[in-house]
Amino acid sequence: MSKYGVLVMGPAGAGKTTFCSALITHLQNNRRSCFYINLDPAAEEFVHEPDLDIKELISLEDVMEEMGLGPNGGLIYCFEFLLENLDFLTEAIDPLTEEYLIVIDMPGQIELYTHIPILPALVRHLTRTGALDIRLCAAYLLEATFVVDRAKYFAGTLSAMSAMVMLEVPHVNILSKMDLVKGTVGKRELKRFLDPDSTLLDDQPGDEVDDGSGEPKDAETTMSGNSFKRLNKAVANLIDSFGMVSYLKLDVQNEDSVGAILSYIDDAIQFHEAQEPKEPNDTMEMEYGDDD
């Protein structure tokens, strides 16, 4: 029997935990069962208390103190420790039925999604047929304010594409915190960023021609120089050539927006196809049974 889940990822500050909270609230309001897993060993505050928390197994604070590691090294150590103790996940997830949506909240360390093989190993364990057999969809969040700085937007898009290539599961890319760009970026302009296109770099606002007068070590000179522009263009062309990434818009304060994202996730994992149809008579008995 398959299970169903969503792996919520993205860089730090993208609003992953906030999205998880909004998604769980929406599921509860629609009488759907969910199981919330926190895999961020540094997270402390939650709107909805996790059903399973990695800090019950290992915490980043303890690792940093006992191993003398920094935040990044400590987080990677936590995930290596998790891979050595996968029964922690298996024992909690195995009893769940196909009616549950498993919501997995991930940390924001970008290395986990780009070039370190830890997360692909975890995904293989979760999705392996005959074991947990979770139909998993990855939801990669990128903050909508990135569209103001197009170089930053394409860098974030490249990390999203890297995660798609590494994880090899159905993938939904999301521009989060849409409320922060209202009034700043017009609707027509924002629509251009839903499907990344290298031509976005051709009309970067405030783009000036480099006259070579700046100091080479100056940050502004480096970030506006011709070499930097060529690098951004190469990144944009690479993303364009793959044609894999497109974005959905998310405003967590709007329940319809959250519901629309959920519908894409459900379609990606074929959630509704596995649910038992309810007999109309059962619904009528529930609604009118008290009238007798």
Side-chain angles (χ1 to χ4, degrees):
M1 178 182 65
S2 294
K3 297 175 175 59
Y4 299 89
V6 55
L7 193 70
V8 182
M9 313 179 303
K16 298 181 293 297
T17 300
T18 303
F19 170 61
C20 288
S21 299
L23 183 61
I24 292 168
T25 298
H26 183 81
L27 290 166
Q28 292 176 343
N29 290 342
N30 288 273
R31 298 182 180 181
R32 280 183 57 176
S33 301
C34 63
F35 190 83
Y36 181 28
I37 300 175
N38 171 54
L39 289 186
D40 184 353
E44 295 180 351
E45 296 182 4
F46 304 95
V47 174
H48 299 280
E49 198 65 28
D51 298 294
L52 184 67
D53 193 338
I54 191 175
K55 292 197 299 294
E56 298 170 10
L57 177 69
I58 188 170
S59 74
L60 180 59
E61 184 179 357
D62 291 342
V63 169
M64 291 173 62
E65 182 178 340
E66 295 178 16
M67 306 294 294
L69 297 172
N72 289 346
L75 199 145
I76 292 174
Y77 180 90
C78 288
F79 268 80
E80 290 175 341
F81 188 79
L82 176 64
L83 289 181
E84 295 173 358
N85 296 272
L86 287 171
D87 287 347
F88 173 75
L89 289 174
T90 303
E91 291 172 2
I93 295 174
D94 194 49
L96 300 177
T97 66
E98 61 187 10
E99 295 179 355
Y100 282 81
L101 181 65
I102 303 166
V103 180
I104 306 174
D105 191 0
M106 298 293 295
Q109 189 181 20
I110 205 68
E111 290 93 330
L112 292 172
Y113 316 121
T114 54
H115 60 276
I116 296 177
I118 293 175
L119 200 54
L122 176 62
V123 168
R124 284 194 296 271
H125 173 75
L126 295 173
T127 58
R128 185 177 296 119
T129 303
L132 288 177
D133 194 14
I134 301 175
R135 292 188 183 180
L136 199 62
C137 172
Y140 194 97
L141 274 64
L142 192 69
E143 191 174 329
T145 55
F146 278 32
V147 304
V148 177
D149 184 342
R150 301 186 183 187
K152 194 174 180 181
Y153 165 78
F154 277 108
T157 300
L158 182 63
S159 67
M161 188 177 79
S162 177
M164 295 177 75
V165 172
M166 283 192 70
L167 299 185
E168 299 179 328
V169 294
H171 210 98
V172 174
N173 296 298
I174 301 168
L175 284 179
S176 62
K177 302 185 180 182
M178 290 300 301
D179 54 306
L180 297 182
V181 296
K182 287 181 180 177
T184 305
V185 182
K187 290 184 178 179
R188 182 176 296 180
E189 180 70 8
L190 187 60
K191 191 174 181 180
R192 297 178 62 197
F193 290 90
L194 300 182
D195 293 294
D197 186 337
S198 60
T199 59
L200 285 167
L201 290 171
D202 296 338
D203 56 350
Q204 167 77 42
D207 214 3
E208 299 179 357
V209 178
D210 181 19
D211 60 4
S213 62
E215 290 294 327
K217 294 183 180 179
D218 184 65
E220 290 189 10
T221 301
T222 303
M223 299 295 280
S224 63
N226 290 329
S227 296
F228 184 67
K229 292 175 184 177
R230 288 196 298 272
L231 173 63
N232 289 329
K233 194 69 175 179
V235 169
N237 286 334
L238 176 66
I239 293 167
D240 206 8
S241 66
F242 273 80
M244 295 172 63
V245 184
S246 62
Y247 288 101
L248 303 172
K249 296 183 291 185
L250 170 66
D251 181 356
V252 293
Q253 300 175 12
N254 185 328
E255 190 165 349
D256 290 339
S257 177
V258 177
I261 298 293
L262 176 60
S263 69
Y264 278 95
I265 293 171
D266 284 340
D267 286 346
I269 58 180
Q270 300 179 315
F271 176 82
H272 292 295
E273 293 183 16
Q275 305 308 305
E276 290 291 336
K278 296 180 179 179
E279 294 292 337
N281 290 338
D282 293 344
T283 305
M284 293 179 66
E285 287 175 8
M286 290 173 59
E287 293 179 351
Y288 304 113
D290 295 337
D291 294 340
D292 295 337

